[in-house]
């Protein structure tokens, strides 16, 4: 046995083996710095275990949140995306919601720009086959397309050389019948009556004096029932009431005329406020008690509710500048129940947008005439009942060119236009979104 002196002056007896090494503690007073070291070791161990447990909890929570995010019930889901060579100018769903029709301009280097009507099957998420219609003609005003209420016909407006006509394309074989409209530089609006027997057409004649014409045609026999050309202001939209008794005619200068659809007698005129701007579109609610009107002024869209008693403004929403909007707006659409408005709003972001802006400024600096670049857009969904935005979909190429709801409101189709980075060819994308009502 021997005493071991430590630096703090305290001693402890230890057992010494024959080789001179300490074999173990026998008795004595513990030194002053032994106990703190043991406590520190225990505390360090506890801290390490706490960190390990905390890290494990964070990882488990992150994985759980990730799984929930992937499997969560989504109100809006992208179901299909189709690429189209050319620019999609208009979209229309068949009344049963089983088909989606698109009018497409295929740009070419020659004097003519081929145009086609393409159909997609919603259930199969693919094209139905060959184009329903295709024609090579000199670039003309954008065509209008509309399905008849029974879905057997697709009406297509064509204006060639001051002659207007409506082509009735039979679905799905494309057999066509022609309905002459007469002199027309452009066909502005189409609207089928709810029973599908009549078609209202608004057209524009540029020469010798600008004038607007309104006519009503019998679809089956393809004959004109009534026409008016005197006293009409610039027409922008047409709509039959759900019961087919009234025809609403929207003029760009804040006026809406209501006619009796059977005898075409003028019933009343509705005046929107002067600040409303140009009327872009209108539609009746399903019960026919109200009309929803969209006007455009500067960079805003205004939604109005029109009844017999009053005109009420519902909302003012950001929109694309009129500089980038054609004579007929397809960049917004109401859901069938009239509760949701889908519209294109500017989204000036992204590398391609900034590159186009730089190129525009360089061109301007060189003194060359050029128009400002069109900003990318987002499709936003605005709910009338809550008067708020409920969703914003991803930004779209150079901009949205057409928006359409399916008749049951389940699907929203959006066409956007862009330029391929590989070969510089114009291409469009059609996105099909499924909308699930939220409680």
């Amino acid at each position: 046995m021997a005493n071991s002196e430590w630096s703090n002056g305290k001693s402890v007896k230890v057992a010494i083996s024959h080789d001179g090494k300490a074999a173990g503690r026998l008795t004595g007073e513990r030194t002053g710095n032994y106990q703190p070291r043991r406590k520190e070791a225990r505390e360090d161990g506890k801290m390490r275990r706490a960190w390990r447990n905390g890290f494990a909890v964070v990882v488990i929570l992150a994985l759980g949140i990730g799984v929930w995010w992937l499997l969560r019930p989504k109100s809006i889901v992208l179901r299909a995306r189709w690429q189209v060579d050319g620019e999609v100018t208009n979209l229309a769903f068949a009344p049963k919601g089983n088909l989606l029709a698109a009018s497409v301009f295929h740009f070419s280097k020659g004097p003519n720009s081929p145009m086609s009507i393409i159909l997609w099957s919603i259930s199969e998420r693919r094209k139905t086959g060959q184009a329903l219609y295709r024609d090579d003609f000199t670039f003309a005003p954008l065509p209008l397309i509309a399905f008849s209420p029974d879905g057997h016909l697709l009406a297509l407006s064509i204006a060639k050389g001051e002659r207007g006509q409506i082509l009735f394309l039979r679905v799905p074989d494309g057999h066509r019948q022609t309905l002459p409209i007469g002199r027309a530089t452009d066909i502005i609006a189409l609207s089928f009556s709810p029973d599908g027997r009549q078609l209202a057409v608004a057209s524009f004649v540029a020469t010798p004096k600008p004038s607007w014409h309104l006519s009503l045609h019998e679809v089956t026999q393809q004959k004109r029932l009534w026409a008016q050309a005197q006293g009409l202001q610039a027409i922008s939209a047409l709509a039959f009431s759900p019961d087919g008794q009234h025809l609403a005619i929207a003029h760009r200068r804040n006026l809406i005329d209501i006619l009796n659809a059977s005898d075409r007698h003028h019933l009343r005129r509705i005046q929107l406020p002067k600040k409303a701007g140009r009327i872009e579109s209108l539609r009746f609610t399903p019960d026919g008690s109200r009309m929803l009107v969209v006007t455009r002024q500067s960079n805003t869209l205004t939604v109005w509710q029109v009844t017999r008693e009053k005109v009420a403004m519902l909302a003012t929403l950001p929109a694309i500048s009129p500089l980038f909007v054609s004579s007929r707006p397809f960049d917004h659409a109401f859901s069938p129940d009239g509760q949701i408005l889908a519209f294109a709003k500017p989204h000036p972001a992204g590398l391609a947008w900034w590159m186009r802006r730089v190129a525009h400024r360089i061109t301007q600096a060189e003194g060359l005439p050029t128009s400002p670049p069109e900003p990318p857009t987002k499709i936003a969904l605005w709910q009338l009942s809550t008067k708020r935005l409920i969703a914003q979909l991803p930004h779209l190429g150079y901009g949205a060119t057409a928006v359409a709801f399916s008749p049951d409101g389940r699907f929203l189709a959006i066409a956007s236009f862009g330029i391929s980075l590989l070969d510089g060819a114009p291409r469009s994308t059609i996105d099909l979104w499924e909308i699930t009502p939220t409680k």
Side-chain angles (χ1 to χ4, degrees), residues 163-292:
R163 304 301 299 178
Q165 57 185 11
I166 303 295
L167 299 183
F168 291 112
L169 307 176
R170 191 168 61 192
V171 181
D173 59 13
H175 176 75
R176 72 183 71 169
Q177 294 178 323
T178 303
L179 173 65
I181 300 299
R183 290 193 62 217
T185 307
D186 190 7
I187 295 178
I188 304 298
L190 299 176
S191 182
F192 276 101
S193 61
D195 59 9
R197 295 180 180 180
Q198 298 179 355
L199 178 69
V201 180
S203 57
F204 169 72
V205 178
T207 58
K209 182 180 179 180
S211 59
W212 282 262
H213 299 250
L214 179 64
S215 56
L216 198 63
H217 304 264
E218 206 283 332
V219 175
T220 304
Q221 299 180 8
Q222 298 179 12
K223 65 179 182 179
R224 179 181 297 179
L225 300 175
W226 172 81
Q228 180 180 354
Q230 300 296 326
L232 290 178
Q233 300 187 34
I235 301 175
S236 58
L238 300 172
F240 277 96
S241 61
D243 57 9
Q245 295 183 7
H246 301 102
L247 175 63
I249 307 165
H251 304 277
R252 292 184 181 179
R253 296 182 179 179
N254 311 332
L255 296 175
I256 301 175
D257 287 325
I258 306 297
L259 303 184
N260 186 312
S262 58
D263 59 10
R264 274 71 68 184
H265 178 69
H266 187 275
L267 299 177
R268 63 184 180 276
R269 169 167 286 186
I270 300 170
Q271 174 76 57
L272 269 63
K274 293 182 178 180
K275 65 178 182 179
R278 185 180 71 185
I279 296 180
E280 298 280 299
S281 64
L282 85 161
R283 58 156 295 160
F284 284 89
T285 55
D287 60 2
S289 62
R290 298 170 293 141
M291 284 190 297
L292 299 174

Side-chain angles (χ1 to χ4, degrees), residues 377-393:
T377 58
K378 275 186 175 181
I379 295 297
L381 303 183
W382 185 77
Q383 193 171 44
L384 274 70
S385 59
T386 60
K387 296 184 178 180
R388 65 182 181 89
L389 291 176
I390 58 175
Q392 294 191 67
L393 304 182

